[in-house]
Amino acid sequence: LLLIDAAVPISQVDRKLASEILKHHCPCVILVNKWDLAEKTHTQQEYAEYMDRELQGLKFAPIVFTTAKDAEGIHDAVRMALNLYQQAGHRVNTSKINRVVEQILTKYTPMSKVRKRPKVYYSTQLSVHPPTIALFVNDPSLFDSASQRYLINRFRDLLPFSEVPIKILIRGRQKMSAEERIASRD
């Protein structure tokens, strides 16, 4: 839970905590406390948009508005935390991930400056907590940070990881020696 005090502006410490959450791929419920004080000047939608600007990168994280002194929203926060734990522990089979990657790349294929097209040969989910998806590609340098963000956002749309961080690993295809190719045929 990332606790935000709605009665004061989002601080540098809040931003640093959000950065650490992202860095470590931790599922996160943003808990906006003292909402009874802030709701006089903001709607929940306005405050959520403000947080999206101030806590960049956590747009996917669910928000629960609470008033701790009245115990409002506390049960919702706990339920949401349990839901995120289940989402982060979900495993998707390899064939579905490969279909999703193919669907994503059919609509958008990044192009390098040297006009070389990136190709994904194979993809799979390596682990859970956080969901970690590996893409085995022709050239990892063709998947810049913008392309990776795009892929992660589409994974959120198409896989059951809409509210948790997704870790993506881009791996180059290993070239086999002649001896290894002969041995693999046996």
Side-chain angles (χ1 to χ4, degrees):
L1 301 174
L2 175 59
L3 182 62
I4 301 293
D5 184 342
V8 297
I10 290 177
S11 70
Q12 192 62 32
V13 171
D14 296 328
R15 286 185 199 90
K16 180 65 177 164
L17 289 170
S19 174
E20 287 296 311
I21 288 166
L22 288 168
K23 178 178 164 185
H24 295 287
H25 298 90
C26 297
C28 173
V29 176
I30 300 174
L31 190 68
V32 179
N33 192 32
K34 299 184 184 175
W35 183 244
D36 56 322
L37 302 176
E39 70 182 338
K40 296 169 184 143
T41 57
H42 306 286
T43 65
Q44 289 184 353
Q45 181 64 35
E46 289 169 343
Y47 200 83
E49 290 169 3
Y50 164 68
M51 283 194 307
D52 286 346
R53 288 189 306 273
E54 295 295 318
L55 303 176
Q56 292 188 357
L58 282 180
K59 191 173 189 167
F60 62 88
I63 302 168
V64 177
F65 294 90
T66 65
T67 303
K69 72 178 179 85
D70 299 331
E72 289 179 21
I74 304 302
H75 293 294
D76 294 336
V78 172
R79 273 194 295 274
M80 185 56 69
L82 290 171
N83 176 288
L84 293 184
Y85 181 79
Q86 290 172 339
Q87 270 187 55
H90 191 82
R91 185 170 289 280
V92 177
N93 68 43
T94 298
S95 63
K96 180 171 183 174
I97 289 180
N98 279 302
R99 283 192 307 273
V100 165
V101 169
E102 184 179 329
Q103 180 182 348
I104 292 169
L105 293 178
T106 299
K107 292 183 180 179
Y108 168 79
T109 301
M111 186 69 75
S112 74
K113 292 176 183 154
V114 293
R115 309 295 286 165
K116 186 174 178 184
R117 283 193 167 292
K119 293 179 187 170
V120 176
Y121 297 116
Y122 178 77
S123 53
T124 189
Q125 183 176 354
L126 297 178
S127 65
V128 296
H129 298 289
T132 304
I133 298 173
L135 303 175
F136 296 90
V137 303
N138 60 333
D139 184 353
S141 69
L142 298 176
F143 290 85
D144 61 8
S145 61
S147 298
Q148 290 182 38
R149 276 192 311 276
Y150 179 82
L151 285 168
I152 289 170
N153 288 331
R154 295 300 66 78
F155 286 152
R156 277 204 185 87
D157 294 340
L158 301 169
L159 296 172
F161 307 124
S162 62
E163 298 172 312
V164 296
I166 300 169
K167 190 173 185 180
I168 188 169
L169 302 173
I170 307 290
R171 300 285 185 242
R173 189 166 91 172
Q174 301 286 329
K175 293 190 179 193
M176 294 198 306
S177 67
E179 294 85 19
E180 291 172 322
R181 284 195 305 267
I182 291 169
S184 71
R185 292 180 193 155
D186 294 338

